Amino acid sequence: MVGDWESRAKAKREAILDSIPEKWRLQKIPSPEEQKDVTGSYIQQFLNDKEIAITETDAVGIAEKVAAGEWSAVDVTEAFCHRASLAHQLVNCLHETFFDAAVASAKDLDEYYAKKKKTIGPLHGVPVSLKDQFHVKDVETTMGYVGWIGTFEGKPDDPRKGTHESEMVRELRALGAVLYCKTSVPHTLMSGETVNNIIGYTWNPKNRYLCSGGSSGGEGALIGLKGSPGGFGTDIGGSIRIPAAFNGLYGIRPTSGRLPYEGMANSMDGQNTVLSVVGPLATTARGVRLLTKAILSEKPWLYDPGVVEMPWRDAQEQAILDILKSTSDKGQLSFAVLKSDGIVTPQPPVARAVSMVAEALSKAGHKIIEWKPPSHKTLLDLTFKTWAYDGGKDIHDSFALSGEDISPQVKSIYGDKAREQFTAAQIAANNVDLRRFRKEYMEYWNSTAQETGNGQPVDGIISPLAPYPAARRKLYKYYGYSAWVNGLDYTSVVLPVTASDKTVDKYEAEYTPIGDLDKDVFDAYDADLYDGAHVSVQIVGRRYTEEKTLAIAEYIGQLLGK
Amino acid sequence: MVGDWESRAKAKREAILDSIPEKWRLQKIPSPEEQKDVTGSYIQQFLNDKEIAITETDAVGIAEKVAAGEWSAVDVTEAFCHRASLAHQLVNCLHETFFDAAVASAKDLDEYYAKKKKTIGPLHGVPVSLKDQFHVKDVETTMGYVGWIGTFEGKPDDPRKGTHESEMVRELRALGAVLYCKTSVPHTLMSGETVNNIIGYTWNPKNRYLCSGGSSGGEGALIGLKGSPGGFGTDIGGSIRIPAAFNGLYGIRPTSGRLPYEGMANSMDGQNTVLSVVGPLATTARGVRLLTKAILSEKPWLYDPGVVEMPWRDAQEQAILDILKSTSDKGQLSFAVLKSDGIVTPQPPVARAVSMVAEALSKAGHKIIEWKPPSHKTLLDLTFKTWAYDGGKDIHDSFALSGEDISPQVKSIYGDKAREQFTAAQIAANNVDLRRFRKEYMEYWNSTAQETGNGQPVDGIISPLAPYPAARRKLYKYYGYSAWVNGLDYTSVVLPVTASDKTVDKYEAEYTPIGDLDKDVFDAYDADLYDGAHVSVQIVGRRYTEEKTLAIAEYIGQLLGK
């Protein structure tokens, strides 16, 4: 098999394209020079009015329309299958399509509705896309590895091949969701750019000179093009939040143990220090809430041994809403702003977005302070080490299955062969150091009670999610603004803020980079090229504050007029 | 220093004894032959009536009496200091005493009460004992290692020496608890017998031919002698539950992340797969509840990065109480009984206790089924491997600090020098295997819904906690009945059931051991020697079911007339 990897990758690539019905094929894919932005009116030209109405409705709206009997699940499903097909042709965002199975399950839902006069669950008829780590019956999972084609996670004869479903897939079906496609990822999952030898490169639909983010880059691009109202990604260093941010979406990185990861494919599975977590991306904050709340209503702690028994807590959300409604001084929220982590200065559009959020909150009467935490350099060193515990053995074993080329994005992190592994004692020492750092960080957070004026520590941190609005190809060099959250296992919600604007977003004339990494980021900025790109920030909350942090992010979106 | 360890151990041993006020010293310590049981009337002879009344009241009763102004915190503290001093002389259960500091803090509490006419918190004036892993200001922590004497966790010049306090210590003080002593542990913590070169061996006060259990063996013996109304131990393989069971106490092993471990000394710290957890032991179930609930009222998730945001949930407790009050068939609870794990048959008194609990529940109208889970052998193999990840490096490094002898109990597990460590990939593989096993076990639990008759899976498992009522010296050979719970991270509550009875507790005449481990356990049984020993069982619940499982254990205690 080794040596033959290029033809196997090509065959798979063609099979994905061939799975798109003839009627939905595009004659010509424009170059980025011809068409930088393929969202909005560009993609709409290939759709009829009803398809546009359906696909430009968010997950909550779709659920409502189907529940009211205005739209059938089949109509909704077909519209999204169509738009997803267009999206893939424009930006390479899909690994798998299973439109026939989707339409069949939509028919079942419509029959159920016709017969029982009610929905089967809160996601009845809502299409949900899945990152290509989820196992779905009768569908392959390659995770971008050529060596995984035709296997179960690289094992050709594993009895789970074609039959196994991830726990969350079972729950989504029970909730009434319609599953129809799996989205692209960088091989290894360990990159903020989505690149692999099967689909090539997933471009940012808003600005096809930029990446769609990663590792849930297919989700980001697909939802960004409204080929899906919402879907699930995973995040060990930013992989939900980066594509959410780069595509103008809402996305949540829950604290580990909140949502069920059971039965999914993964990289470096069994590394137990900084866990990859699963969470939704969607076009609206309420879409993210619907998906999160729906999964929790299935009591995943009874089916995934890693999930904490913690239902959706309306009271935590209501507490924030009550404060926002109140007018007293005591009732205001407080936030800290992280303008720079001291290692890399965010590019001008990102810096502006952070300021916009801080100013909007301040204007609305909330207290804003500066975030001056313990060293993020220390935090990042401890965090990045956890990704290197096995010296890259797991990923290089997967590459070796086919002998395929390793993308430069991944090679820059993991080299071209496995390195020495950490011993148990070295792992334990890093775990202890990280735990101590988390305690120190927590004490710093607690100490802000002295600065907020209401006696309470800050309710959240306004932080860049990446130094870029979106990275350019092969230029994603710095993960510090997303990975610090993973190192601390905090909850974080990304929200869209603005668009890059070449007329205002410029480094100061005398700007001098603060170090090599900052120079990379500085050099990568090009105001003209970035013009029009989405710019987002993240709101970071303490552990297990999904309800609260999402309510805050939604509120900020409203303040910004989104 | 090395070579000199015997004199250093002796000096420390004498210092502990010397810290007991002259007036409380015993003239003569009887041999076990002279006085097998030193609880009850034996120890009472050294106390006056008020001291007996105070020390034989449980933690809830003490809190009530002090809150009502009937007892002063000082009187309570002095009574427990006295009784703890007697306990140590009789069974070697203390590593540290700090009676003067305790009386001083009790005085402060009394003054607060006199002035404010209210208590400072729910533990106002309640003495709480601590396993010698907790750091307390101005008090040493040796964890039984001679090499840790005069250091901070083996480091002579660490600035935390004498100043650092564990997070839970801070919380206990804030709640009004009076801290007065730290209790004995086996060096390494990895034994069910409490033995080290400083205090020697902690005997079981009810039957001084038997061990007090471990690793929280000093807690078990001290509370068993009512030298403390309740205290905190830790549990990675049974270390809270074993001493609770062997001393006729209630004890809870919470799920990891429920109570704060922050800032405590530990063995093999940084092993992140099967975590040691902290939890209370007390003379009553309501005492265990008071201590657990009090700690949670301090919101430990704001001070310990490993704690989950989960307050005490009255609703979970009430749901059980409501069912117990209801009379409908639907309202009954259901339980599974684990009579044998297929590896070792529990000794006759333990088997009888398990049956007594099952029969009492059945008689009260609850459904009892048999527990036939996935292989406990597989589960235990996966669990025990986590304790060997570092090949014993951490503990042998601590032994090497002094060159002290390693007890045979520990040597039988960790050898006399460190072995090869697991690599990162080997650790990851074991972590994945354990997670899959947990999922399989969870599915089995869910499947019992088909057997219970009410459509719900069982509410708990009735299981032995050890194959012995208590082990004999050097004969604790099998940890399978406690460690399976740690491997699954389940919540478990130990409750006392009965006493060994030589007239009924006998193996069947034709009993043939089912394997080597079972033969060890069979051979260790001696009906005469065991006569009168406490016999306990554990009620095992799913993860994060502390409120429910404790309510069930308390109810069973009431059924049994305790």
Side-chain angles (χ1 to χ4, degrees):
Chain A
M1 299 283 255
V2 173
D4 191 28
W5 68 265
E6 282 175 303
S7 59
R8 292 169 66 207
K10 183 163 175 276
K12 178 76 185 173
R13 178 164 56 250
E14 288 171 355
I16 301 168
L17 284 165
D18 290 347
S19 76
I20 294 173
E22 199 81 48
K23 60 182 176 184
W24 293 342
R25 306 254 176 100
L26 295 176
Q27 302 292 313
K28 176 182 181 293
I29 310 301
S31 69
E33 292 74 20
E34 291 167 329
Q35 190 65 39
K36 181 174 171 180
D37 178 355
V38 293
T39 66
S41 59
Y42 183 81
I43 193 170
Q44 284 169 359
Q45 68 181 298
F46 307 109
L47 298 158
N48 66 36
D49 287 351
K50 183 159 186 198
E51 287 173 323
I52 293 171
I54 288 171
T55 54
E56 301 197 356
T57 300
D58 78 345
V60 174
I62 292 168
E64 285 168 358
K65 291 277 193 186
V66 177
E70 290 183 44
W71 292 342
S72 72
V74 167
D75 283 352
V76 169
T77 299
E78 283 177 344
F80 277 102
C81 289
H82 186 188
R83 193 154 177 154
S85 296
L86 300 172
H88 179 63
Q89 294 173 80
L90 293 166
V91 294
N92 310 322
C93 57
L94 299 183
H95 277 188
E96 306 288 338
T97 71
F98 36 104
F99 298 155
D100 291 346
V103 172
S105 71
K107 270 189 188 139
D108 289 345
L109 290 165
D110 285 337
E111 280 167 25
Y112 180 97
Y113 183 84
K115 208 158 129 188
K116 308 246 184 171
K117 311 287 177 214
K118 62 172 188 181
T119 60
I120 205 165
L123 301 182
H124 186 108
V126 179
V128 172
S129 50
L130 302 171
K131 185 179 189 177
D132 191 23
Q133 287 180 259
F134 284 86
H135 288 294
V136 175
K137 197 167 149 296
D138 299 327
V139 179
E140 198 158 83
T141 304
T142 67
M143 233 168 67
Y145 285 124
V146 177
W148 283 26
I149 297 171
T151 73
F152 181 84
E153 300 183 3
K155 294 175 277 294
D157 303 319
D158 193 294
R160 288 170 291 182
K161 187 168 77 175
T163 62
H164 178 64
E165 295 214 318
S166 301
E167 167 58 19
M168 200 190 270
V169 170
R170 186 190 68 74
E171 294 173 9
L172 286 167
R173 291 192 196 280
L175 291 160
V178 176
L179 309 177
Y180 63 117
C181 65
K182 296 207 297 175
T183 55
S184 59
V185 301
H187 49 205
T188 76
L189 310 175
M190 302 306 285
S191 174
E193 297 177 58
T194 292
V195 57
N196 66 57
N197 293 312
I198 298 170
I199 55 96
Y201 197 88
T202 307
W203 292 102
N204 191 308
K206 186 74 182 170
N207 182 334
R208 290 196 300 151
Y209 292 102
L210 303 174
C211 74
S212 67
S215 65
S216 315
E219 281 301 310
L222 178 67
I223 306 171
L225 268 171
K226 297 192 163 55
S228 163
F232 284 91
T234 64
D235 192 322
I236 195 174
S239 288
I240 290 170
R241 292 164 291 147
I242 292 165
F246 290 9
N247 293 284
L249 309 173
Y250 285 82
I252 188 166
R253 182 236 176 253
T255 291
S256 61
R258 194 78 206 259
L259 292 178
Y261 212 104
E262 173 61 36
M264 287 171 65
N266 199 0
S267 278
M268 297 173 285
D269 195 13
Q271 180 274 99
N272 270 11
T273 305
V274 173
L275 292 174
S276 174
V277 300
V278 61
L281 304 80
T283 51
T284 58
R286 63 179 200 163
V288 167
R289 183 183 299 107
L290 174 67
L291 292 172
T292 306
K293 208 168 157 173
I295 291 293
L296 291 176
S297 76
E298 287 288 304
K299 302 188 178 180
W301 50 88
L302 296 180
Y303 307 98
D304 181 338
V307 172
V308 171
E309 186 188 332
M310 194 185 282
W312 179 266
R313 298 162 301 176
D314 285 313
Q316 313 283 64
E317 189 181 352
Q318 197 55 47
I320 293 301
L321 300 179
D322 289 346
I323 290 172
L324 294 174
K325 261 183 283 175
S326 91
T327 49
S328 76
D329 268 7
K330 272 259 170 193
Q332 300 310 296
L333 297 175
S334 63
F335 298 91
V337 185
L338 180 72
K339 290 192 175 171
S340 167
D341 64 3
I343 305 163
V344 163
T345 304
Q347 291 178 344
V350 177
R352 183 167 58 85
V354 169
S355 295
M356 281 175 69
V357 171
E359 280 162 26
L361 285 166
S362 180
K363 211 171 143 189
H366 304 289
K367 174 85 177 180
I368 306 290
I369 66 168
E370 199 181 333
W371 192 241
K372 296 175 189 166
S375 162
H376 273 214
K377 179 166 184 331
T378 303
L379 170 56
L380 294 168
D381 286 347
L382 294 166
T383 303
F384 294 149
K385 270 188 201 168
T386 68
W387 305 349
Y389 280 170
D390 81 345
K393 181 182 188 308
D394 173 71
I395 65 156
H396 285 293
D397 284 352
S398 286
F399 282 125
L401 291 172
S402 70
E404 67 183 306
D405 283 354
I406 304 173
S407 65
Q409 289 88 341
V410 167
K411 209 181 279 187
S412 69
I413 300 173
Y414 285 98
D416 47 20
K417 60 174 190 291
R419 297 163 186 156
E420 200 175 357
Q421 296 187 39
F422 278 54
T423 65
Q426 288 167 335
I427 290 173
N430 196 58
N431 292 349
V432 169
D433 287 347
L434 179 57
R435 190 185 67 220
R436 288 196 187 136
F437 186 90
R438 287 175 173 179
K439 170 66 172 163
E440 190 187 339
Y441 211 92
M442 179 172 243
E443 283 174 2
Y444 171 66
W445 191 312
N446 291 340
S447 77
T448 60
Q450 265 110 61
E451 289 185 71
T452 55
N454 65 2
Q456 295 298 314
V458 292
D459 293 288
I461 306 162
I462 306 159
S463 165
L465 172 283
Y468 328 97
R472 292 162 69 179
R473 188 173 191 173
K474 298 186 189 171
L475 294 183
Y476 206 135
K477 300 289 178 69
Y478 186 65
Y479 294 97
Y481 282 105
S482 52
W484 72 274
V485 170
N486 302 80
L488 296 165
D489 198 23
Y490 285 163
T491 298
S492 170
V493 178
V494 156
L495 74 151
V497 176
T498 186
S500 295
D501 181 345
K502 64 182 173 186
T503 66
V504 296
D505 292 326
K506 294 169 186 167
Y507 280 92
E508 289 177 31
E510 68 279 19
Y511 185 77
T512 310
I514 55 180
D516 289 348
L517 284 166
D518 192 38
K519 184 159 190 318
D520 285 343
V521 170
F522 173 78
D523 289 344
Y525 187 63
D526 176 328
D528 288 323
L529 185 142
Y530 271 107
D531 193 49
H534 293 291
V535 195
S536 305
V537 305
Q538 63 183 334
I539 307 301
V540 180
R542 290 171 182 260
R543 292 180 80 217
Y544 298 107
T545 55
E546 288 74 22
E547 298 85 346
K548 172 177 178 170
T549 309
L550 193 51
I552 288 171
E554 185 168 32
Y555 168 72
I556 295 171
Q558 288 158 0
L559 281 185
L560 296 170
K562 303 252 164 187
Chain B
M1 299 282 256
V2 174
D4 190 27
W5 67 266
E6 282 176 303
S7 59
R8 292 169 66 207
K10 182 162 177 277
K12 179 75 185 175
R13 177 164 58 249
E14 288 171 354
I16 301 168
L17 283 165
D18 289 349
S19 76
I20 295 172
E22 199 82 46
K23 59 182 176 184
W24 293 342
R25 306 256 176 99
L26 294 176
Q27 301 293 312
K28 177 182 182 290
I29 310 300
S31 70
E33 293 74 22
E34 291 167 330
Q35 189 66 40
K36 182 175 171 180
D37 178 358
V38 293
T39 66
S41 59
Y42 184 80
I43 193 170
Q44 283 170 359
Q45 68 181 299
F46 307 110
L47 298 157
N48 67 36
D49 287 351
K50 183 160 187 199
E51 287 173 323
I52 293 170
I54 289 172
T55 54
E56 302 197 354
T57 300
D58 78 345
V60 174
I62 292 168
E64 285 168 359
K65 291 277 193 185
V66 177
E70 289 183 47
W71 293 342
S72 72
V74 167
D75 282 352
V76 169
T77 299
E78 284 178 343
F80 278 101
C81 290
H82 185 187
R83 194 155 177 155
S85 296
L86 299 172
H88 179 62
Q89 294 173 80
L90 292 166
V91 293
N92 309 321
C93 57
L94 300 183
H95 277 186
E96 305 288 338
T97 70
F98 35 105
F99 298 155
D100 291 347
V103 172
S105 70
K107 270 189 187 141
D108 290 347
L109 290 165
D110 285 337
E111 279 167 25
Y112 180 97
Y113 183 86
K115 208 158 129 186
K116 307 247 184 169
K117 310 288 175 214
K118 62 173 189 180
T119 60
I120 206 165
L123 301 182
H124 187 109
V126 179
V128 172
S129 50
L130 302 171
K131 185 178 187 177
D132 191 23
Q133 288 180 259
F134 285 86
H135 288 294
V136 175
K137 196 166 149 296
D138 299 327
V139 179
E140 198 159 85
T141 302
T142 67
M143 232 169 68
Y145 287 123
V146 177
W148 283 26
I149 297 170
T151 73
F152 181 84
E153 299 182 4
K155 294 175 277 294
D157 302 318
D158 193 294
R160 289 169 290 181
K161 187 169 79 176
T163 63
H164 178 65
E165 294 215 320
S166 302
E167 168 57 20
M168 198 189 272
V169 169
R170 187 190 67 74
E171 294 173 8
L172 286 166
R173 292 192 197 279
L175 291 160
V178 176
L179 309 177
Y180 63 117
C181 64
K182 294 207 298 175
T183 55
S184 59
V185 301
H187 49 204
T188 76
L189 309 174
M190 301 306 285
S191 175
E193 297 177 57
T194 292
V195 56
N196 65 56
N197 292 311
I198 298 170
I199 56 95
Y201 197 89
T202 306
W203 292 103
N204 190 309
K206 187 74 181 171
N207 182 335
R208 290 196 299 150
Y209 292 103
L210 303 173
C211 74
S212 67
S215 65
S216 316
E219 282 299 312
L222 178 67
I223 304 171
L225 268 171
K226 296 192 162 53
S228 164
F232 284 91
T234 66
D235 192 322
I236 195 174
S239 289
I240 290 168
R241 293 163 291 147
I242 293 166
F246 290 9
N247 293 285
L249 308 174
Y250 286 83
I252 189 167
R253 183 239 174 248
T255 291
S256 61
R258 195 79 207 258
L259 293 179
Y261 212 103
E262 172 63 34
M264 286 171 65
N266 198 0
S267 277
M268 296 173 284
D269 196 11
Q271 180 273 99
N272 270 11
T273 305
V274 172
L275 292 174
S276 175
V277 299
V278 61
L281 304 81
T283 51
T284 59
R286 65 180 197 162
V288 167
R289 183 182 299 108
L290 174 67
L291 291 172
T292 306
K293 207 169 160 172
I295 292 294
L296 290 175
S297 75
E298 288 288 304
K299 304 189 177 179
W301 50 88
L302 298 179
Y303 307 97
D304 180 338
V307 172
V308 171
E309 186 187 333
M310 194 184 282
W312 179 266
R313 297 162 303 177
D314 286 313
Q316 313 282 65
E317 190 181 349
Q318 196 55 48
I320 293 301
L321 300 179
D322 289 345
I323 290 173
L324 294 174
K325 260 183 284 174
S326 91
T327 49
S328 76
D329 268 8
K330 273 258 169 193
Q332 299 311 293
L333 298 174
S334 64
F335 298 91
V337 184
L338 180 72
K339 289 192 176 170
S340 169
D341 64 4
I343 305 163
V344 162
T345 305
Q347 291 179 344
V350 177
R352 182 166 61 85
V354 168
S355 297
M356 280 175 69
V357 171
E359 280 163 25
L361 285 166
S362 179
K363 210 171 142 190
H366 305 288
K367 175 86 176 181
I368 306 290
I369 66 168
E370 200 182 333
W371 193 241
K372 297 174 188 164
S375 163
H376 273 215
K377 179 168 184 330
T378 303
L379 170 56
L380 294 169
D381 285 347
L382 294 165
T383 304
F384 294 150
K385 270 188 199 167
T386 68
W387 304 348
Y389 280 170
D390 81 344
K393 180 182 186 309
D394 173 72
I395 64 156
H396 286 293
D397 284 353
S398 285
F399 282 126
L401 291 172
S402 70
E404 68 184 306
D405 282 355
I406 303 173
S407 66
Q409 289 88 343
V410 168
K411 208 180 281 187
S412 69
I413 301 173
Y414 285 98
D416 47 18
K417 60 174 190 292
R419 296 162 186 157
E420 201 176 355
Q421 295 187 39
F422 278 54
T423 65
Q426 289 168 333
I427 290 173
N430 195 59
N431 291 350
V432 169
D433 288 345
L434 179 57
R435 191 186 66 220
R436 288 196 186 136
F437 187 91
R438 287 175 175 180
K439 170 66 172 161
E440 189 188 339
Y441 211 93
M442 180 173 241
E443 282 174 2
Y444 170 67
W445 192 310
N446 291 341
S447 77
T448 60
Q450 266 109 60
E451 290 185 71
T452 55
N454 65 1
Q456 296 298 314
V458 292
D459 294 287
I461 306 162
I462 306 159
S463 165
L465 172 283
Y468 328 96
R472 293 160 69 179
R473 187 174 191 173
K474 298 187 189 171
L475 295 182
Y476 206 134
K477 299 290 178 68
Y478 186 64
Y479 294 98
Y481 282 106
S482 51
W484 73 273
V485 170
N486 302 79
L488 297 165
D489 198 23
Y490 285 164
T491 299
S492 170
V493 178
V494 156
L495 74 152
V497 175
T498 186
S500 296
D501 181 345
K502 64 182 174 186
T503 66
V504 296
D505 292 327
K506 294 169 186 168
Y507 279 92
E508 289 176 30
E510 69 279 19
Y511 185 78
T512 312
I514 54 180
D516 289 348
L517 284 166
D518 191 39
K519 183 160 191 314
D520 285 343
V521 170
F522 173 77
D523 289 344
Y525 187 63
D526 177 328
D528 287 323
L529 185 143
Y530 270 107
D531 193 50
H534 293 292
V535 195
S536 305
V537 304
Q538 64 183 334
I539 306 301
V540 180
R542 289 172 184 261
R543 293 179 81 218
Y544 298 107
T545 55
E546 288 74 22
E547 297 85 346
K548 172 178 180 172
T549 309
L550 194 50
I552 289 171
E554 185 169 31
Y555 167 71
I556 296 172
Q558 287 158 2
L559 281 184
L560 295 170
K562 302 252 163 189

